[in-house]
Amino acid sequence: MTPAPETLFQFLSAIHPYDAMEHAALQSMIPAFDVRRFDAGAQVYALGQQLDGLFIVFEGDVEIRDEHDVPISLLGPRNSFGERGLLRQGQSVTSARAVTDSTLLILPADIFHKAMAEVPAFRKFFDRSRVERPQKTDLATTRVEELMATSPVTCPLDTDVQTAARQMREARVSSICVAEGGRLRGIATIRDLSGKVVGDGLPFDTPIRRVMTPDPVTLPPSAIGSDVLHMMMERRIGHVPVEQAGKLVGIVTQTDLTRFQAVSSAELVSEIAHSNTAEDMAKVTARIPQLLAQLVAGGNRHEVITRLITDIADTATRRLLALAEASLGPAPVPYLWLACGSQGRQEQTGVSDQDNCLFLDDSVTDADQPYFEALARFVCDGLDTCGYVYCPGDMMASNPRWRQPVKVWRDYFASWIKTPNPEAQMLASVMFDLRPIGGTVALFENLQAETLAKASANSIFVAHMVSNSLKHTPPLGLLRGFATIRSGEHKNHIDLKHNGVVPVVDLGRIYALQGQLTQANTAARLEAAMAAGILSASGGQDLRDAYDLIAETRLDHQAAQVRAGDAPDNFLSPTSLSDFERSHLRDAFVVIKSMQSAVGHGRGMLS
């Protein structure tokens, strides 16, 4: 029996986005709906079929399957489906089958597209593309290429200090870059000239190379303004040259930053960089949750927020390394401290433990080991004091296993790739997210490229890594809702980290492995994978949109907890969300499950 128009109006009035429409507009839409009945087991539409409209379940149950015929959703009354196909040339990207006798409402494609164009609530609900948050013009959202002076004053190495000073005076700048063949060799500032030339009474024909700071730290044009400010605060410098592909392309000074309001993260970085004990640093890191809440309230995107928070951990680590060396003396051989996990990916939130390791130069001897044991213990204990609690799996430099010469690390990776048992898969997953924090970066560069090449060429290892990446699944329940935690402290909640963010992190790592991509950050991996053709533009955009929504929901949840005076965590009650938010979050989980299915079936994998 076909529902009466009044019945359809009442039904749709209780469903978003129809409940946001003017009553007259919804009344005029009612006659356009086609009512169709499907017996249990009947196919509603096939994969790749041209769709003639948007489907809404009025009665019954409908199962949605992906392109590999894997069930991804079971929908009941009030649920919509088919919109992704309508938004992509009208061809279905899934298949649908009635599980029970079902009655479906079909809104014709032309009416659907008309509503998308004319009804904001309709467009907001069905358009899954990335929603840009309102942003302020500040250092957290401004790229260095927009801040830098593109024609820095330069001079050769043999220029005398008087000539260099005249160049600076004529250009009305406070520094001069010393370059050779377009490559930066050093930088000299007004302070260098006054302190080293005038203060030490050097003759005016002294070559600039004698007073310059050689091989200064630099940033790429793609860095953000906060990177500049944090570097200035930590290193107590006022000028940061900008290099791209080894060439000097600009410079950013403190003057360039004065028109911007410094983000609060810079204050924390500065205070940590000037702290003399881990206890002093802990007073600063205790303010991270409040910083997170402020950044979320300011409309910053999740990748900006996690980057700024990770910068604080990086600074704390480097400061502890400096304090360790001040206490223990200079290191007997070169070393490199690296972070893995969320810090390695620059994805820390208000809840983070520590994951780190230590690479030692191959010249290290047994007699040197006590020094590095003491250094690692100093830093790991200090990080724990600062709130970055010890890794539950003991994956820290304080564990001798993760404090080894480069040749041992090379053997580690080689053995994991050759024999990908469960432990090897887990360890490789963690170690592929390594990022240098402090020390001699050269100890890692060759090993990273070498390991990626060997790993991607070993099809058995890749297959095991793919299998390992599918162990974290989205919290999708078979009966339309979410698969919440069944017992314990977090009963009836979903884990936004392990069942939301981590599945995308794992997929991003697989794409990086396929393409030998050196990026550690998940968003950067997805973008690089799309650029390299490893991930299709449509699938990659869907996955990026899903990741954005889940990551931002996680930060919104943590920020709300901080504002309520609670400690932030990753456990969200779906009942705290509106119907609109639950629908979009569930759709995001469906996208992730579909992408996991694609990877699991070998689509796009290297042979």
Side-chain angles (χ1 to χ4, degrees):
M1 184 175 184
T2 302
E6 296 78 11
T7 303
L8 291 181
F9 179 81
Q10 292 178 358
F11 177 77
L12 293 170
S13 303
I15 304 174
H16 202 71
Y18 307 96
D19 61 349
M21 296 177 65
E22 296 287 341
H23 282 191
L26 180 56
Q27 288 279 15
S28 67
M29 183 184 282
I30 296 296
F33 278 95
D34 181 18
V35 181
R36 299 182 195 171
R37 298 185 183 281
F38 294 85
D39 294 334
Q43 186 175 67
V44 177
Y45 58 73
L47 177 70
Q49 180 178 323
Q50 191 73 22
L51 297 180
D52 54 2
L54 174 74
F55 294 79
I56 308 168
V57 182
F58 183 76
E59 292 177 335
D61 299 279
V62 176
E63 183 182 67
I64 308 298
R65 290 177 171 259
D66 67 14
E67 60 187 304
H68 303 290
D69 202 34
V70 175
I72 59 174
S73 194
L74 180 64
L75 306 178
R78 297 162 52 98
N79 291 140
S80 300
F81 59 98
E83 68 273 12
R84 287 178 65 201
L86 289 175
L87 293 171
R88 292 188 184 174
Q89 292 79 47
Q91 289 190 335
S92 63
V93 294
T94 57
S95 62
R97 179 183 65 87
V99 176
T100 61
D101 292 345
S102 302
T103 300
L104 306 182
L105 309 180
I106 295 90
L107 181 64
D110 59 334
I111 305 298
F112 170 79
H113 289 297
K114 185 173 186 291
M116 288 289 288
E118 298 177 357
V119 183
F122 216 86
R123 182 169 56 252
K124 182 179 179 182
F125 186 79
F126 289 113
D127 186 355
R128 302 303 196 242
S129 61
R130 296 177 72 190
V131 178
E132 293 297 330
R133 293 184 170 212
Q135 293 182 342
K136 303 171 291 184
T137 302
D138 59 23
L139 295 179
T141 58
T142 305
R143 289 166 66 99
V144 164
E145 63 188 359
E146 298 174 19
L147 294 171
M148 68 185 189
T150 56
S151 301
V153 177
T154 63
C155 69
L157 281 165
D158 58 359
T159 302
D160 62 76
V161 293
Q162 184 177 48
T163 301
R166 286 174 177 166
Q167 283 185 253
M168 293 164 63
R169 181 187 64 190
E170 292 169 3
R172 297 184 179 181
V173 295
S174 57
S175 66
I176 189 167
C177 292
V178 183
E180 189 175 63
R183 293 186 174 275
L184 182 67
R185 298 293 300 275
I187 186 171
T189 66
I190 291 226
R191 179 178 296 181
D192 291 323
L193 296 183
S194 63
K196 298 177 182 178
V197 178
V198 178
D200 292 342
L202 295 179
F204 289 165
D205 61 354
T206 300
I208 194 73
R209 63 173 176 268
R210 285 189 56 190
V211 299
M212 71 179 188
T213 298
D215 302 317
V217 292
T218 65
L219 285 172
S222 59
I224 57 176
S226 292
D227 292 335
V228 179
L229 187 57
H230 291 174
M231 184 176 285
M232 288 180 174
M233 292 288 189
E234 180 181 357
R235 299 175 182 271
R236 304 183 190 186
I237 57 177
H239 305 77
V240 178
V242 182
E243 283 189 309
Q244 186 170 45
K247 297 288 185 179
L248 177 68
V249 295
I251 190 168
V252 182
T253 69
Q254 288 179 335
T255 303
D256 297 319
L257 303 182
T258 55
R259 63 190 175 92
F260 290 92
Q261 181 180 3
V263 294
S264 55
S265 58
E267 299 175 14
L268 273 64
V269 165
S270 178
E271 290 181 38
I272 289 173
H274 294 84
S275 295
N276 291 316
T277 67
E279 288 72 22
D280 288 342
M281 284 185 248
K283 296 175 184 177
V284 182
T285 55
R287 286 148 49 195
I288 289 177
Q290 189 57 45
L291 168 65
L292 181 146
Q294 292 172 354
L295 291 171
V296 170
N300 295 283
R301 292 194 60 82
H302 70 91
E303 62 264 38
V304 172
I305 296 172
T306 55
R307 173 72 171 272
L308 297 179
I309 290 175
T310 304
D311 281 352
I312 297 169
D314 290 355
T315 303
T317 304
R318 284 191 288 267
R319 184 57 182 159
L320 287 167
L321 286 169
L323 292 174
E325 289 195 29
S327 173
L328 302 171
V333 299
Y335 70 87
L336 177 63
W337 187 282
L338 302 99
C340 42
S342 59
Q343 184 183 1
R345 297 189 304 273
Q346 295 180 299
E347 294 168 3
Q348 288 190 314
T349 66
V351 188
S352 297
D353 58 6
Q354 58 174 292
D355 297 280
N356 47 62
C357 62
L358 199 57
F359 280 27
L360 307 177
D361 189 86
D362 285 339
S363 62
V364 67
T365 65
D366 290 343
D368 299 327
Q369 290 292 356
Y371 175 94
F372 290 109
E373 179 182 0
L375 180 140
R377 177 55 59 190
F378 185 101
V379 177
C380 289
D381 287 350
L383 288 173
D384 181 71
T385 299
C386 290
Y388 304 102
V389 298
Y390 297 122
C391 173
D394 202 21
M395 189 163 285
M396 298 178 294
S398 53
N399 181 341
R401 186 180 185 186
W402 310 126
R403 185 179 67 248
Q404 295 290 338
V406 173
K407 60 186 177 184
V408 174
W409 281 102
R410 182 173 281 107
D411 289 341
Y412 280 169
F413 280 106
S415 65
W416 296 337
I417 294 168
K418 183 179 180 181
T419 310
N421 57 41
E423 184 191 36
Q425 296 168 40
M426 182 274 292
L427 294 174
S429 294
V430 173
M431 293 303 172
F432 277 131
D433 295 346
L434 285 174
R435 182 172 61 88
I437 302 297
T440 305
V441 178
L443 294 177
F444 176 65
E445 289 175 339
N446 292 337
L447 179 60
Q448 182 186 35
E450 174 187 318
T451 301
L452 282 172
K454 287 182 178 179
S456 62
N458 188 320
S459 59
I460 296 177
F461 174 78
V462 172
H464 278 277
M465 286 292 290
V466 168
S467 176
N468 188 61
S469 74
L470 303 180
K471 291 180 179 178
H472 294 98
T473 57
L476 290 169
L478 292 178
L479 298 176
R480 296 181 284 279
F482 296 103
T484 57
I485 298 170
R486 295 183 178 181
S487 62
E489 178 185 359
H490 304 295
K491 182 180 179 180
N492 297 326
H493 289 66
I494 56 177
D495 187 338
L496 289 173
K497 177 182 177 181
H498 289 102
N499 299 112
V501 170
V502 170
V504 185
V505 170
D506 289 341
L507 287 171
R509 192 180 296 116
I510 293 300
Y511 301 140
L513 178 59
Q514 283 185 271
Q516 299 182 40
L517 308 174
T518 58
Q519 290 86 347
N521 178 265
T522 299
R525 280 172 167 170
L526 297 182
E527 292 178 358
M530 284 189 281
I534 297 163
L535 187 57
S536 70
S538 59
Q541 192 59 59
D542 277 349
L543 186 58
R544 182 67 201 271
D545 292 341
Y547 177 56
D548 288 341
L549 178 62
I550 295 167
E552 288 174 1
T553 299
R554 180 191 183 196
L555 290 181
D556 288 342
H557 165 68
Q558 292 187 0
Q561 290 179 304
V562 172
R563 290 192 294 270
D566 299 326
D569 63 26
N570 296 301
F571 300 97
L572 173 74
S573 171
T575 58
S576 67
L577 303 175
S578 67
D579 284 347
F580 174 84
E581 292 168 328
R582 280 197 298 271
S583 176
H584 276 276
L585 186 60
R586 194 176 193 285
D587 286 342
F589 290 140
V590 168
V591 167
I592 294 171
K593 186 171 182 179
S594 297
M595 296 303 289
Q596 285 184 323
S597 178
V599 169
H601 283 77
R603 190 182 70 184
M605 295 305 298
L606 294 179
S607 59

mmCIF file of all heavy atoms in Angstrom, residues 552-567:
data_model
loop_
_atom_site.group_PDB
_atom_site.id
_atom_site.type_symbol
_atom_site.label_atom_id
_atom_site.label_comp_id
_atom_site.label_asym_id
_atom_site.label_seq_id
_atom_site.Cartn_x
_atom_site.Cartn_y
_atom_site.Cartn_z
ATOM 1 N N GLU A 552 38.928 15.530 13.364
ATOM 2 C CA GLU A 552 38.389 16.753 13.945
ATOM 3 C C GLU A 552 37.320 16.447 14.991
ATOM 4 O O GLU A 552 37.202 17.158 15.992
ATOM 5 C CB GLU A 552 37.877 17.657 12.832
ATOM 6 C CG GLU A 552 39.030 18.263 12.049
ATOM 7 C CD GLU A 552 38.612 19.072 10.838
ATOM 8 O OE1 GLU A 552 37.393 19.187 10.592
ATOM 9 O OE2 GLU A 552 39.502 19.584 10.139
ATOM 10 N N THR A 553 36.557 15.377 14.794
ATOM 11 C CA THR A 553 35.604 14.955 15.819
ATOM 12 C C THR A 553 36.345 14.573 17.098
ATOM 13 O O THR A 553 35.918 14.892 18.215
ATOM 14 C CB THR A 553 34.772 13.755 15.322
ATOM 15 O OG1 THR A 553 34.033 14.142 14.149
ATOM 16 C CG2 THR A 553 33.806 13.278 16.388
ATOM 17 N N ARG A 554 37.470 13.889 16.927
ATOM 18 C CA ARG A 554 38.291 13.504 18.074
ATOM 19 C C ARG A 554 38.797 14.730 18.834
ATOM 20 O O ARG A 554 38.705 14.789 20.069
ATOM 21 C CB ARG A 554 39.469 12.663 17.575
ATOM 22 C CG ARG A 554 40.427 12.181 18.638
ATOM 23 C CD ARG A 554 41.663 11.600 17.963
ATOM 24 N NE ARG A 554 42.623 11.038 18.885
ATOM 25 C CZ ARG A 554 43.880 10.761 18.574
ATOM 26 N NH1 ARG A 554 44.322 11.000 17.334
ATOM 27 N NH2 ARG A 554 44.703 10.244 19.462
ATOM 28 N N LEU A 555 39.288 15.741 18.118
ATOM 29 C CA LEU A 555 39.789 16.940 18.779
ATOM 30 C C LEU A 555 38.654 17.738 19.409
ATOM 31 O O LEU A 555 38.816 18.306 20.494
ATOM 32 C CB LEU A 555 40.564 17.803 17.784
ATOM 33 C CG LEU A 555 41.914 17.237 17.307
ATOM 34 C CD1 LEU A 555 42.581 18.206 16.348
ATOM 35 C CD2 LEU A 555 42.835 16.956 18.490
ATOM 36 N N ASP A 556 37.509 17.814 18.729
ATOM 37 C CA ASP A 556 36.343 18.500 19.309
ATOM 38 C C ASP A 556 35.944 17.836 20.625
ATOM 39 O O ASP A 556 35.619 18.510 21.606
ATOM 40 C CB ASP A 556 35.162 18.456 18.334
ATOM 41 C CG ASP A 556 35.353 19.372 17.136
ATOM 42 O OD1 ASP A 556 36.203 20.282 17.215
ATOM 43 O OD2 ASP A 556 34.651 19.178 16.129
ATOM 44 N N HIS A 557 35.967 16.508 20.627
ATOM 45 C CA HIS A 557 35.626 15.737 21.831
ATOM 46 C C HIS A 557 36.622 16.045 22.952
ATOM 47 O O HIS A 557 36.213 16.309 24.101
ATOM 48 C CB HIS A 557 35.644 14.245 21.489
ATOM 49 C CG HIS A 557 35.658 13.334 22.680
ATOM 50 N ND1 HIS A 557 34.592 13.215 23.543
ATOM 51 C CD2 HIS A 557 36.633 12.501 23.153
ATOM 52 C CE1 HIS A 557 34.901 12.345 24.502
ATOM 53 N NE2 HIS A 557 36.123 11.897 24.283
ATOM 54 N N GLN A 558 37.912 16.042 22.656
ATOM 55 C CA GLN A 558 38.921 16.317 23.674
ATOM 56 C C GLN A 558 38.809 17.751 24.187
ATOM 57 O O GLN A 558 38.950 18.010 25.387
ATOM 58 C CB GLN A 558 40.315 16.040 23.125
ATOM 59 C CG GLN A 558 40.583 14.565 22.849
ATOM 60 C CD GLN A 558 42.032 14.288 22.467
ATOM 61 O OE1 GLN A 558 42.862 15.197 22.396
ATOM 62 N NE2 GLN A 558 42.345 13.029 22.225
ATOM 63 N N ALA A 559 38.560 18.692 23.278
ATOM 64 C CA ALA A 559 38.431 20.090 23.684
ATOM 65 C C ALA A 559 37.230 20.278 24.608
ATOM 66 O O ALA A 559 37.296 21.033 25.592
ATOM 67 C CB ALA A 559 38.293 20.985 22.456
ATOM 68 N N ALA A 560 36.130 19.586 24.311
ATOM 69 C CA ALA A 560 34.945 19.677 25.169
ATOM 70 C C ALA A 560 35.254 19.123 26.558
ATOM 71 O O ALA A 560 34.788 19.661 27.577
ATOM 72 C CB ALA A 560 33.790 18.916 24.536
ATOM 73 N N GLN A 561 36.025 18.048 26.626
ATOM 74 C CA GLN A 561 36.405 17.486 27.923
ATOM 75 C C GLN A 561 37.261 18.469 28.714
ATOM 76 O O GLN A 561 37.078 18.631 29.927
ATOM 77 C CB GLN A 561 37.167 16.168 27.715
ATOM 78 C CG GLN A 561 36.302 15.022 27.206
ATOM 79 C CD GLN A 561 37.112 13.765 26.994
ATOM 80 O OE1 GLN A 561 38.094 13.766 26.267
ATOM 81 N NE2 GLN A 561 36.702 12.669 27.636
ATOM 82 N N VAL A 562 38.195 19.127 28.032
ATOM 83 C CA VAL A 562 39.064 20.099 28.705
ATOM 84 C C VAL A 562 38.225 21.252 29.252
ATOM 85 O O VAL A 562 38.403 21.688 30.403
ATOM 86 C CB VAL A 562 40.136 20.630 27.741
ATOM 87 C CG1 VAL A 562 40.911 21.785 28.378
ATOM 88 C CG2 VAL A 562 41.091 19.511 27.346
ATOM 89 N N ARG A 563 37.294 21.737 28.449
ATOM 90 C CA ARG A 563 36.445 22.842 28.901
ATOM 91 C C ARG A 563 35.589 22.434 30.098
ATOM 92 O O ARG A 563 35.232 23.267 30.937
ATOM 93 C CB ARG A 563 35.555 23.322 27.755
ATOM 94 C CG ARG A 563 36.312 24.053 26.656
ATOM 95 C CD ARG A 563 35.356 24.761 25.712
ATOM 96 N NE ARG A 563 34.536 23.810 24.961
ATOM 97 C CZ ARG A 563 34.872 23.301 23.788
ATOM 98 N NH1 ARG A 563 36.039 23.648 23.224
ATOM 99 N NH2 ARG A 563 34.084 22.448 23.158
ATOM 100 N N ALA A 564 35.263 21.141 30.178
ATOM 101 C CA ALA A 564 34.461 20.645 31.292
ATOM 102 C C ALA A 564 35.322 20.329 32.516
ATOM 103 O O ALA A 564 34.797 19.909 33.552
ATOM 104 C CB ALA A 564 33.696 19.398 30.859
ATOM 105 N N GLY A 565 36.627 20.515 32.400
ATOM 106 C CA GLY A 565 37.524 20.251 33.513
ATOM 107 C C GLY A 565 37.961 18.808 33.625
ATOM 108 O O GLY A 565 38.525 18.400 34.649
ATOM 109 N N ASP A 566 37.720 18.015 32.571
ATOM 110 C CA ASP A 566 38.094 16.604 32.573
ATOM 111 C C ASP A 566 39.384 16.387 31.781
ATOM 112 O O ASP A 566 39.751 17.201 30.932
ATOM 113 C CB ASP A 566 36.982 15.749 31.957
ATOM 114 C CG ASP A 566 35.673 15.858 32.730
ATOM 115 O OD1 ASP A 566 35.746 15.994 33.964
ATOM 116 O OD2 ASP A 566 34.605 15.825 32.087
ATOM 117 N N ALA A 567 40.040 15.264 32.047
ATOM 118 C CA ALA A 567 41.227 14.898 31.266
ATOM 119 C C ALA A 567 40.771 14.409 29.900
ATOM 120 O O ALA A 567 39.807 13.643 29.794
ATOM 121 C CB ALA A 567 42.018 13.805 31.980
#
